[in-house]
Amino acid sequence: MREDCKHFESRTYRNGETVRKCDLDLAPEAPWRCPADCPRFERRLADVNWAHGTLVTPSTPDEPLDALDRGDDSVARLLDEAEDIVNSAGPDILAEVQLDRARSDQPRWRRWLRRRP
């Protein structure tokens, strides 16, 4: 990935996992490569008034040996399918959260009476 691009983002979580991505979702082979002729590439300029710590962007994981060089967009298709799976679960999760919120808005005594047989 082009770490000098304005749209590159890297985030490391407490469990040690690192996400390396394009904020515009234009790098289908992330975290390994950006498109060679990306139309939205912008060189990252100096961050004014930002205080940077001593953290360093973790190294990029090893590339799959031949999957990215096939030229058949199989990696992009696989990632699109994974994204579709995650997106299809979204409405169910949202409905569940809204139901939980609606239940918590009721007074406790009403929730307690409903639970009794």
Side-chain angles (χ1 to χ4, degrees), residues 31-101:
W32 303 286
R33 296 184 191 167
C34 293
D37 55 349
C38 182
R40 297 296 304 270
F41 173 76
E42 296 178 49
R43 184 167 298 283
R44 182 183 303 269
L45 301 176
D47 294 327
V48 178
N49 281 340
W50 285 74
H52 292 279
T54 58
L55 296 177
V56 177
T57 303
S59 61
T60 305
D62 294 334
E63 284 188 23
L65 295 177
D66 67 338
L68 298 178
D69 294 325
R70 287 187 206 151
D72 62 356
D73 295 333
S74 60
V75 173
R77 282 197 314 270
L78 175 66
L79 293 175
D80 285 341
E81 289 174 17
E83 185 177 14
D84 291 342
I85 291 170
V86 171
N87 289 340
S88 68
D92 294 336
I93 295 169
L94 182 60
E96 187 176 326
V97 168
Q98 289 173 342
L99 182 62
D100 287 344
R101 286 182 182 167

